[in-house]
Amino acid sequence: MHRTHYVSEAKKMVGQRVALAGWVHEVRDLGKLKFVQLRDWTGIMQITAKAGREPKEVLDAMSQPKETVISAEGLVQESKIAEAGVELIPSKFTVLNSITKKVPFEVTGKVPADLDVRLDFRYVDLRTAGASAVFKIRSEIAQAFREKCRMLGAVELHPPTIVEAATEGGADLFRVQYFEKEAFLVQSPQLYKQLAVIGGMDKVYMTVPVFRAEKHNTLTHLNEALQMDLEMGFADHRDAVDALEAVVLHILKRVAKNCEEELKTLGRELHAPSSIPRHTYTELVEKLNEAGVAFGWGEDFSRETEEKLAQILGYSTYFITEWPTRVRAFYSMPDESNPEVCHAYDLNYEGLEISSGAQRVHKPDLLVRQLEAKNLNPSDFEFYINAFRVGAPPHAGWSIGLDRMTMKVCGLRNIREAVLFPRDRTRLRP
Ligand code: ATP
Ligand code: MG
């Protein structure tokens, strides 16, 4: 091992010997005094060497360009000048790998880099405090999702990624050559999680990549996204919204508690409310109309109307329930007394849709009628519909977009910043 401790641990170890390893963040050479800021992913430690006090070979070795990979051993002592209040007095300083190419941008953040350049050199970008904070928070969100699903008694499943037919009935599919046949990358694990519940797996969850060949270029869409899904048997839309609320609040609480440092780095204050208000679609349309916004019942909300809604409501995190049937997917359960409306819901978090779901249609004849109403051919969905003919319980579920949730929790402007190697219309590398 090249290190005995991380920087964050060493900072609390005044008077003890440690070995640290990381990158040269900054160097300062005052002739008789040399400073190197050693950075690992937990923080920065100043290494201070004085001519005559530390061995000459240590002082010589400390003259390295920024981003050189180093390790240093020595004593941690209190310091009046170092920012952290402690510094390392080195007895050994080793170069583990030198720089042989110009580092494309400043890791210190002193000179802001363009997002495209940052993504081209993500392996350098991740060394910045901001980017690494985003991915630690993303990890916490994914972990907290799993944790809460397990607490709710759900079992994690792994559906396929290559499929024979469209799951959402849309045209926005990526084609792949599957031996002699044509196949597609999955748009959503929707049908598969339903099949698991029909199979008697009463509560299931999954974290899966989905692929959508949509040609848009927005700040909130990617062509490969990660979804966190839950599906529950013998459940209706109310049960599923309750579960979604519980999971999202658990995630926010976990991030607020476990990512204090990272949130501070990003300048974020996270509010973990104790509940999330619920509004029906119709209620929100009425509110818009009352406020003088021309919006017809049956339309989908645009970014602009969502902003208007947040102004009217005074908050931007809320559920929208009971949508018009015609704007939702065919598998959304229509209301029995008013089939124009279905038991579907979205969660808007800080003004952005981060989750969608519905109570599903579990009656095969209704499913056929719904497919036909959407101009889809029921025979293309035969394997799916057949599953509903052999004992399908009522069920409901939802999907949270991990990328969008990370984006909003971190207060990022562009979804690409929340994804390690984002895939959009033009970006396929690295
Ligand atoms: P939108 O209407 O915003 O395009 P959608 O309604 O088509 O999204 P769903 O099918 O409901 O998306 O997917 C569930 C969740 O997955 C969304 O709420 C969102 O958080 C996320 N998601 C969907 N599509 C994308 C995408 N192209 N890029 C990033 N995240 C996405
Ligand atoms: Mg949606």
Short mmCIF file of all heavy atoms in Angstrom, two decimals, residues 262-302:
data_model
loop_
_atom_site.label_atom_id
_atom_site.label_comp_id
_atom_site.label_asym_id
_atom_site.label_seq_id
_atom_site.Cartn_x
_atom_site.Cartn_y
_atom_site.Cartn_z
N GLU A 262 -20.03 17.06 0.77
CA GLU A 262 -20.22 17.15 -0.68
C GLU A 262 -21.23 18.25 -1.02
O GLU A 262 -21.04 19.00 -1.99
CB GLU A 262 -20.69 15.81 -1.26
CG GLU A 262 -19.64 14.71 -1.27
CD GLU A 262 -19.36 14.09 0.09
OE1 GLU A 262 -20.21 14.27 1.02
OE2 GLU A 262 -18.32 13.43 0.24
N LEU A 263 -22.31 18.34 -0.23
CA LEU A 263 -23.31 19.37 -0.49
C LEU A 263 -22.70 20.75 -0.28
O LEU A 263 -22.96 21.68 -1.04
CB LEU A 263 -24.53 19.16 0.43
CG LEU A 263 -25.38 17.93 0.10
CD1 LEU A 263 -26.36 17.63 1.24
CD2 LEU A 263 -26.17 18.12 -1.20
N LYS A 264 -21.85 20.84 0.74
CA LYS A 264 -21.17 22.12 1.01
C LYS A 264 -20.28 22.50 -0.17
O LYS A 264 -20.28 23.64 -0.63
CB LYS A 264 -20.35 21.99 2.30
CG LYS A 264 -20.25 23.29 3.06
CD LYS A 264 -19.79 23.08 4.50
CE LYS A 264 -18.28 23.19 4.58
NZ LYS A 264 -17.75 22.70 5.85
N THR A 265 -19.52 21.51 -0.66
CA THR A 265 -18.65 21.75 -1.82
C THR A 265 -19.45 22.31 -2.99
O THR A 265 -18.99 23.18 -3.72
CB THR A 265 -17.98 20.42 -2.26
OG1 THR A 265 -17.20 19.96 -1.17
CG2 THR A 265 -17.11 20.59 -3.49
N LEU A 266 -20.68 21.79 -3.17
CA LEU A 266 -21.51 22.22 -4.29
C LEU A 266 -22.34 23.47 -3.97
O LEU A 266 -23.11 23.94 -4.80
CB LEU A 266 -22.45 21.08 -4.71
CG LEU A 266 -21.76 19.81 -5.24
CD1 LEU A 266 -22.76 18.67 -5.35
CD2 LEU A 266 -21.10 20.07 -6.59
N GLY A 267 -22.20 23.95 -2.73
CA GLY A 267 -22.97 25.13 -2.33
C GLY A 267 -24.46 24.86 -2.26
O GLY A 267 -25.28 25.73 -2.53
N ARG A 268 -24.81 23.63 -1.87
CA ARG A 268 -26.22 23.23 -1.85
C ARG A 268 -26.74 23.10 -0.44
O ARG A 268 -26.06 22.57 0.44
CB ARG A 268 -26.39 21.85 -2.49
CG ARG A 268 -26.38 21.88 -3.97
CD ARG A 268 -27.62 22.49 -4.54
NE ARG A 268 -28.79 21.61 -4.47
CZ ARG A 268 -30.01 22.02 -4.71
NH1 ARG A 268 -30.25 23.28 -5.00
NH2 ARG A 268 -31.02 21.18 -4.65
N GLU A 269 -27.96 23.56 -0.23
CA GLU A 269 -28.64 23.28 1.01
C GLU A 269 -29.80 22.37 0.65
O GLU A 269 -30.66 22.75 -0.15
CB GLU A 269 -29.17 24.57 1.63
CG GLU A 269 -28.45 24.92 2.92
CD GLU A 269 -28.95 26.22 3.48
OE1 GLU A 269 -30.09 26.23 3.98
OE2 GLU A 269 -28.21 27.22 3.36
N LEU A 270 -29.80 21.17 1.20
CA LEU A 270 -30.82 20.21 0.80
C LEU A 270 -31.97 20.23 1.80
O LEU A 270 -31.75 20.13 3.00
CB LEU A 270 -30.20 18.81 0.74
CG LEU A 270 -30.99 17.78 -0.03
CD1 LEU A 270 -31.09 18.17 -1.49
CD2 LEU A 270 -30.31 16.42 0.09
N HIS A 271 -33.18 20.38 1.26
CA HIS A 271 -34.33 20.34 2.15
C HIS A 271 -34.98 18.97 2.02
O HIS A 271 -35.37 18.58 0.93
CB HIS A 271 -35.33 21.43 1.77
CG HIS A 271 -34.73 22.80 1.84
ND1 HIS A 271 -34.44 23.40 3.05
CD2 HIS A 271 -34.31 23.64 0.88
CE1 HIS A 271 -33.88 24.58 2.81
NE2 HIS A 271 -33.77 24.74 1.50
N ALA A 272 -35.07 18.26 3.11
CA ALA A 272 -35.75 16.97 3.11
C ALA A 272 -37.10 17.18 3.79
O ALA A 272 -37.19 17.15 5.01
CB ALA A 272 -34.91 15.92 3.82
N PRO A 273 -38.17 17.43 3.01
CA PRO A 273 -39.47 17.70 3.63
C PRO A 273 -40.02 16.44 4.32
O PRO A 273 -39.50 15.34 4.11
CB PRO A 273 -40.35 18.09 2.44
CG PRO A 273 -39.71 17.47 1.25
CD PRO A 273 -38.25 17.37 1.54
N SER A 274 -41.07 16.61 5.12
CA SER A 274 -41.61 15.44 5.81
C SER A 274 -42.72 14.79 4.97
O SER A 274 -43.11 13.66 5.22
CB SER A 274 -42.14 15.83 7.19
OG SER A 274 -43.02 16.90 7.05
N SER A 275 -43.23 15.52 3.97
CA SER A 275 -44.18 14.91 3.04
C SER A 275 -44.18 15.73 1.75
O SER A 275 -43.62 16.83 1.70
CB SER A 275 -45.59 14.88 3.65
OG SER A 275 -46.05 16.20 3.77
N ILE A 276 -44.78 15.16 0.70
CA ILE A 276 -44.81 15.83 -0.60
C ILE A 276 -46.27 16.04 -0.99
O ILE A 276 -47.04 15.07 -1.03
CB ILE A 276 -44.06 14.99 -1.67
CG1 ILE A 276 -42.60 14.78 -1.24
CG2 ILE A 276 -44.13 15.67 -3.04
CD1 ILE A 276 -41.81 13.84 -2.15
N PRO A 277 -46.68 17.29 -1.28
CA PRO A 277 -48.09 17.54 -1.63
C PRO A 277 -48.51 16.80 -2.89
O PRO A 277 -47.69 16.56 -3.78
CB PRO A 277 -48.14 19.05 -1.87
CG PRO A 277 -46.85 19.61 -1.43
CD PRO A 277 -45.86 18.51 -1.31
N ARG A 278 -49.79 16.44 -2.94
CA ARG A 278 -50.33 15.73 -4.11
C ARG A 278 -51.44 16.56 -4.74
O ARG A 278 -52.32 17.06 -4.04
CB ARG A 278 -50.91 14.37 -3.67
CG ARG A 278 -49.87 13.50 -3.03
CD ARG A 278 -50.42 12.20 -2.46
NE ARG A 278 -49.37 11.54 -1.67
CZ ARG A 278 -49.41 10.31 -1.23
NH1 ARG A 278 -50.46 9.56 -1.49
NH2 ARG A 278 -48.42 9.81 -0.51
N HIS A 279 -51.37 16.73 -6.04
CA HIS A 279 -52.42 17.46 -6.77
C HIS A 279 -52.86 16.63 -7.95
O HIS A 279 -52.03 16.01 -8.62
CB HIS A 279 -51.88 18.79 -7.30
CG HIS A 279 -51.41 19.72 -6.22
ND1 HIS A 279 -52.27 20.45 -5.44
CD2 HIS A 279 -50.16 20.02 -5.79
CE1 HIS A 279 -51.57 21.17 -4.58
NE2 HIS A 279 -50.29 20.93 -4.76
N THR A 280 -54.17 16.66 -8.23
CA THR A 280 -54.59 15.98 -9.45
C THR A 280 -54.25 16.87 -10.64
O THR A 280 -54.14 18.11 -10.51
CB THR A 280 -56.11 15.69 -9.48
OG1 THR A 280 -56.80 16.94 -9.49
CG2 THR A 280 -56.54 14.87 -8.28
N TYR A 281 -54.12 16.26 -11.79
CA TYR A 281 -53.86 16.97 -13.03
C TYR A 281 -54.93 18.06 -13.25
O TYR A 281 -54.63 19.22 -13.53
CB TYR A 281 -53.85 15.96 -14.19
CG TYR A 281 -53.81 16.58 -15.55
CD1 TYR A 281 -52.60 16.82 -16.19
CD2 TYR A 281 -55.00 16.92 -16.20
CE1 TYR A 281 -52.57 17.41 -17.45
CE2 TYR A 281 -54.98 17.50 -17.46
CZ TYR A 281 -53.77 17.74 -18.08
OH TYR A 281 -53.75 18.32 -19.31
N THR A 282 -56.20 17.66 -13.06
CA THR A 282 -57.32 18.58 -13.31
C THR A 282 -57.24 19.81 -12.40
O THR A 282 -57.45 20.94 -12.86
CB THR A 282 -58.65 17.83 -13.10
OG1 THR A 282 -58.63 16.68 -13.97
CG2 THR A 282 -59.85 18.69 -13.42
N GLU A 283 -56.90 19.55 -11.13
CA GLU A 283 -56.76 20.65 -10.17
C GLU A 283 -55.69 21.65 -10.65
O GLU A 283 -55.89 22.87 -10.58
CB GLU A 283 -56.30 19.99 -8.87
CG GLU A 283 -56.51 20.72 -7.60
CD GLU A 283 -55.84 19.92 -6.48
OE1 GLU A 283 -55.99 18.67 -6.43
OE2 GLU A 283 -55.14 20.54 -5.67
N LEU A 284 -54.59 21.15 -11.16
CA LEU A 284 -53.50 22.02 -11.60
C LEU A 284 -53.89 22.81 -12.85
O LEU A 284 -53.55 23.99 -12.98
CB LEU A 284 -52.22 21.22 -11.84
CG LEU A 284 -51.62 20.61 -10.57
CD1 LEU A 284 -50.37 19.79 -10.90
CD2 LEU A 284 -51.28 21.68 -9.53
N VAL A 285 -54.64 22.15 -13.75
CA VAL A 285 -55.11 22.86 -14.95
C VAL A 285 -56.02 24.02 -14.53
O VAL A 285 -55.89 25.14 -15.02
CB VAL A 285 -55.85 21.91 -15.91
CG1 VAL A 285 -56.50 22.68 -17.05
CG2 VAL A 285 -54.89 20.85 -16.46
N GLU A 286 -56.89 23.74 -13.56
CA GLU A 286 -57.79 24.80 -13.07
C GLU A 286 -56.99 25.95 -12.46
O GLU A 286 -57.27 27.12 -12.72
CB GLU A 286 -58.76 24.24 -12.02
CG GLU A 286 -59.91 23.47 -12.66
CD GLU A 286 -60.68 22.61 -11.66
OE1 GLU A 286 -60.39 22.68 -10.43
OE2 GLU A 286 -61.57 21.85 -12.12
N LYS A 287 -55.96 25.61 -11.69
CA LYS A 287 -55.13 26.67 -11.08
C LYS A 287 -54.46 27.52 -12.15
O LYS A 287 -54.37 28.74 -12.02
CB LYS A 287 -54.07 26.04 -10.17
CG LYS A 287 -54.60 25.62 -8.80
CD LYS A 287 -53.45 25.24 -7.88
CE LYS A 287 -53.91 24.47 -6.65
NZ LYS A 287 -54.80 25.22 -5.75
N LEU A 288 -53.99 26.85 -13.20
CA LEU A 288 -53.34 27.58 -14.30
C LEU A 288 -54.34 28.52 -14.96
O LEU A 288 -54.06 29.70 -15.17
CB LEU A 288 -52.79 26.60 -15.34
CG LEU A 288 -51.45 25.93 -15.01
CD1 LEU A 288 -51.16 24.80 -16.00
CD2 LEU A 288 -50.29 26.94 -15.03
N ASN A 289 -55.54 27.98 -15.25
CA ASN A 289 -56.56 28.78 -15.91
C ASN A 289 -56.99 29.98 -15.06
O ASN A 289 -57.13 31.09 -15.56
CB ASN A 289 -57.76 27.92 -16.28
CG ASN A 289 -57.40 26.91 -17.39
OD1 ASN A 289 -56.41 27.07 -18.09
ND2 ASN A 289 -58.20 25.88 -17.53
N GLU A 290 -57.14 29.70 -13.75
CA GLU A 290 -57.51 30.80 -12.82
C GLU A 290 -56.46 31.91 -12.84
O GLU A 290 -56.79 33.08 -12.68
CB GLU A 290 -57.63 30.26 -11.39
CG GLU A 290 -58.98 29.62 -11.10
CD GLU A 290 -58.92 28.74 -9.84
OE1 GLU A 290 -58.03 28.97 -8.99
OE2 GLU A 290 -59.76 27.83 -9.75
N ALA A 291 -55.19 31.49 -13.03
CA ALA A 291 -54.11 32.49 -13.04
C ALA A 291 -53.95 33.13 -14.42
O ALA A 291 -53.00 33.87 -14.66
CB ALA A 291 -52.80 31.84 -12.58
N GLY A 292 -54.88 32.79 -15.32
CA GLY A 292 -54.87 33.43 -16.64
C GLY A 292 -53.96 32.76 -17.66
O GLY A 292 -53.70 33.32 -18.72
N VAL A 293 -53.46 31.54 -17.32
CA VAL A 293 -52.62 30.83 -18.28
C VAL A 293 -53.51 29.97 -19.18
O VAL A 293 -54.31 29.17 -18.68
CB VAL A 293 -51.59 29.93 -17.56
CG1 VAL A 293 -50.68 29.21 -18.55
CG2 VAL A 293 -50.76 30.73 -16.56
N ALA A 294 -53.39 30.17 -20.50
CA ALA A 294 -54.20 29.37 -21.42
C ALA A 294 -53.61 27.97 -21.49
O ALA A 294 -52.48 27.77 -21.95
CB ALA A 294 -54.19 30.02 -22.80
N PHE A 295 -54.33 27.00 -20.97
CA PHE A 295 -53.85 25.63 -20.96
C PHE A 295 -55.05 24.70 -21.04
O PHE A 295 -55.95 24.78 -20.19
CB PHE A 295 -53.04 25.37 -19.68
CG PHE A 295 -52.38 24.01 -19.64
CD1 PHE A 295 -51.10 23.84 -20.15
CD2 PHE A 295 -53.04 22.91 -19.12
CE1 PHE A 295 -50.49 22.60 -20.13
CE2 PHE A 295 -52.44 21.65 -19.10
CZ PHE A 295 -51.16 21.50 -19.61
N GLY A 296 -55.10 23.87 -22.07
CA GLY A 296 -56.26 23.03 -22.27
C GLY A 296 -56.12 21.69 -21.54
O GLY A 296 -55.04 21.14 -21.46
N TRP A 297 -57.26 21.20 -21.03
CA TRP A 297 -57.26 19.89 -20.37
C TRP A 297 -56.87 18.83 -21.41
O TRP A 297 -57.44 18.79 -22.51
CB TRP A 297 -58.65 19.61 -19.81
CG TRP A 297 -58.66 18.47 -18.82
CD1 TRP A 297 -58.55 18.57 -17.47
CD2 TRP A 297 -58.79 17.08 -19.12
NE1 TRP A 297 -58.59 17.33 -16.89
CE2 TRP A 297 -58.74 16.38 -17.89
CE3 TRP A 297 -58.93 16.33 -20.29
CZ2 TRP A 297 -58.83 15.01 -17.79
CZ3 TRP A 297 -59.01 14.95 -20.19
CH2 TRP A 297 -58.97 14.30 -18.95
N GLY A 298 -55.88 18.01 -21.10
CA GLY A 298 -55.45 16.98 -22.05
C GLY A 298 -54.05 17.25 -22.59
O GLY A 298 -53.43 16.37 -23.17
N GLU A 299 -53.57 18.46 -22.41
CA GLU A 299 -52.19 18.75 -22.83
C GLU A 299 -51.21 18.24 -21.78
O GLU A 299 -51.57 18.08 -20.62
CB GLU A 299 -51.99 20.28 -22.93
CG GLU A 299 -52.65 20.95 -24.10
CD GLU A 299 -52.43 22.47 -24.04
OE1 GLU A 299 -51.28 22.90 -23.81
OE2 GLU A 299 -53.41 23.21 -24.20
N ASP A 300 -49.96 18.04 -22.21
CA ASP A 300 -48.91 17.70 -21.24
C ASP A 300 -48.24 19.01 -20.82
O ASP A 300 -48.18 19.94 -21.60
CB ASP A 300 -47.88 16.75 -21.90
CG ASP A 300 -47.10 15.97 -20.85
OD1 ASP A 300 -47.19 16.32 -19.64
OD2 ASP A 300 -46.39 15.01 -21.21
N PHE A 301 -47.76 19.06 -19.59
CA PHE A 301 -47.15 20.30 -19.11
C PHE A 301 -45.79 20.53 -19.77
O PHE A 301 -44.97 19.62 -19.84
CB PHE A 301 -46.96 20.25 -17.59
CG PHE A 301 -48.26 20.12 -16.83
CD1 PHE A 301 -48.53 18.96 -16.12
CD2 PHE A 301 -49.19 21.15 -16.84
CE1 PHE A 301 -49.74 18.83 -15.42
CE2 PHE A 301 -50.38 21.02 -16.16
CZ PHE A 301 -50.66 19.86 -15.44
N SER A 302 -45.57 21.76 -20.22
CA SER A 302 -44.26 22.11 -20.77
C SER A 302 -43.40 22.66 -19.63
O SER A 302 -43.91 22.93 -18.54
CB SER A 302 -44.42 23.16 -21.85
OG SER A 302 -44.88 24.37 -21.26
#
